[in-house]
Amino acid sequence: MDSPARRRADESAIGQNNGTAIRPLLGHFTFNIWASYWPNQQGTIAEQFNKVTKYVVSGSQVELSWENSVLITGDIITEIKNLKAQNGVDLLIMGSGKLVQALLAANLVDKLHTFTYPIILGGGKRLFEAGSQAYEWQLTDSLISATGIIMATYQPKGDVRTGQVSED
């Protein structure tokens, strides 16, 4: 059963997993969704998202009506490498599947936070598309919210190690 107390517990758990020193890195489509939602919300997470610098990746011009938003166009891989080189900047991507794919292919993902919700929709976008590079990840943290959302944090571990199965 959903309740205000359980929603607050989920918000607190999600906030802990994401940390406080974040800079959202969003694709154009996700940015439009967030920009129409977060400026009208209240609470700890809304305050964080509204006050921090948000980076928007797009192949075209985007109207940045949400305060503290910066557009990244052109060579996004080089631009994101430059952002990552800045001291104290932790970039957080939520949604933006094409952007995640590009950063994974360029080996620019230092941590992977996954949120598994107790819902089966029967279809939708995949995080790891066909052709994604095989890579092994190490679980570094996990948390289960009051409503059953599983939040897991992974760090790159290296190339996938394969072996052989024999009939010995």
Side-chain angles (χ1 to χ4, degrees):
M1 172 176 280
D2 195 23
S3 71
R6 288 186 79 165
R7 283 193 299 275
R8 283 192 301 278
D10 282 351
E11 181 176 301
S12 175
I14 291 169
Q16 288 173 19
N17 202 345
N18 290 340
T20 56
I22 59 164
R23 303 295 181 272
L25 179 63
L26 307 166
H28 179 190
F29 183 75
T30 304
F31 172 77
N32 285 337
I33 294 169
W34 280 37
S36 68
Y37 178 78
W38 285 111
N40 305 310
Q41 302 304 308
Q42 297 179 352
T44 305
I45 294 176
E47 289 171 12
Q48 289 176 8
F49 285 149
N50 287 322
K51 76 178 179 181
V52 300
T53 301
K54 294 156 282 289
Y55 298 99
V56 183
V57 175
S58 179
S60 60
Q61 288 298 314
V62 177
E63 181 183 334
L64 302 177
S65 58
W66 193 10
E67 66 180 337
N68 303 320
S69 297
V70 176
L71 182 62
I72 297 175
T73 59
D75 183 356
I76 65 163
I77 299 301
T78 299
E79 292 296 326
I80 292 171
K81 284 180 182 178
N82 291 339
L83 283 174
K84 286 173 57 78
Q86 295 176 15
N87 191 22
V89 175
D90 288 335
L91 302 171
L92 173 72
I93 302 172
M94 293 183 107
S96 305
K98 288 181 184 178
L99 179 56
V100 170
Q101 289 295 318
L103 297 181
L104 284 168
N107 201 25
L108 289 175
V109 177
D110 301 317
K111 285 185 184 177
L112 183 64
H113 298 279
T114 61
F115 293 67
T116 304
Y117 291 80
I119 298 171
I120 297 175
L121 297 177
K125 292 183 180 180
R126 296 176 56 142
L127 177 58
F128 306 106
E129 296 291 339
S132 294
Q133 180 178 352
Y135 209 76
E136 192 170 342
W137 294 83
Q138 174 72 43
L139 179 68
T140 59
D141 194 16
S142 63
L143 181 66
I144 300 175
S145 76
T147 58
I149 301 168
I150 301 170
M151 294 158 273
T153 302
Y154 300 90
Q155 289 184 318
K157 189 172 179 180
D159 292 331
V160 174
R161 292 172 286 178
T162 59
Q164 284 186 313
V165 177
S166 63
E167 293 185 23
D168 292 338

